[in-house]
Amino acid sequence: MRVSVLASGSGGNACVVESATTRVLVDAGLSGREIERRLRARGMEPESIAAIFVTHEHNDHSSGALAFSTRWGCPVFTTPGTASAMGLEGDLFSPFVPVESGRDRRIGALGFRALATPHDANQSVAYAFEADDGRLVIASDLGRVQPDFVDFLRGSTTIL
């Protein structure tokens, strides 16, 4: 498994998580065009992104998600609370796929699980991804660490 940080900070957050056969974007806090530019600068084509995972609705994590999703036909995975705050929930044409905290799921060759995090957002989460004998946890804007988060980190090979 590999992770590539496209942006990190108050100006925008986005990274790519990939296994041998599946590539996803985690957060899309840049414009869709800027995400495309940064992907290509790293030798990745935008159409290779299978999905976008959004941790929470703040603009520095979500502003480019819908534009990128619409342009490249990939779904947005996030919690119902985040989707609602982003205006995705209830839209028949929305590419929204609901994510539940604590439930194991898969997209292609990547296993993933979300964990609710304490943040001033509507149902924010951290994500753990598993593939190729690796386990990556991506958590941002935590506010504070709770005991269940420490358990969530166990067995991780990479923490971002």
Side-chain angles (χ1 to χ4, degrees):
M1 186 164 28
R2 189 169 77 174
V3 62
S4 301
V5 177
L6 303 180
S8 178
S10 58
N13 295 275
C15 67
V16 175
V17 174
E18 59 186 316
S19 70
T21 60
T22 304
R23 182 178 286 157
V24 299
L25 186 64
V26 179
D27 284 336
L30 304 167
S31 73
R33 297 267 186 217
E34 183 61 17
I35 292 168
E36 292 170 25
R37 188 187 72 72
R38 292 184 187 205
L39 285 168
R40 287 189 173 113
R42 288 162 180 79
M44 297 178 236
E45 290 303 317
E47 60 267 19
S48 71
I49 300 296
I52 303 168
F53 287 78
V54 178
T55 58
H56 63 285
E57 76 274 6
H58 293 166
N59 280 343
D60 61 326
H61 292 265
S62 68
S63 63
L66 189 55
F68 188 94
S69 170
T70 300
R71 182 170 167 94
W72 297 104
C74 57
V76 177
F77 284 69
T78 195
T79 62
T82 296
S84 178
M86 290 174 63
L88 297 177
E89 193 173 47
D91 181 347
L92 293 176
F93 303 101
S94 169
F96 163 56
V97 178
V99 171
E100 297 173 36
S101 182
R103 182 172 169 217
D104 290 329
R105 307 239 335 248
R106 295 197 73 73
I107 180 163
L110 284 173
F112 69 91
R113 174 184 279 247
L115 177 75
T117 58
H119 185 43
D120 63 344
N122 194 356
Q123 212 175 10
S124 66
V125 292
Y127 289 105
F129 295 93
E130 295 183 353
D132 309 327
D133 296 325
R135 184 170 194 275
L136 163 70
V137 172
I138 297 176
S140 60
D141 300 352
L142 288 173
R144 64 188 181 281
V145 174
Q146 296 176 308
D148 60 341
F149 183 73
V150 174
D151 290 337
F152 191 65
L153 294 176
R154 291 192 203 293
S156 297
T157 55
T158 306
I159 300 170
L160 179 65

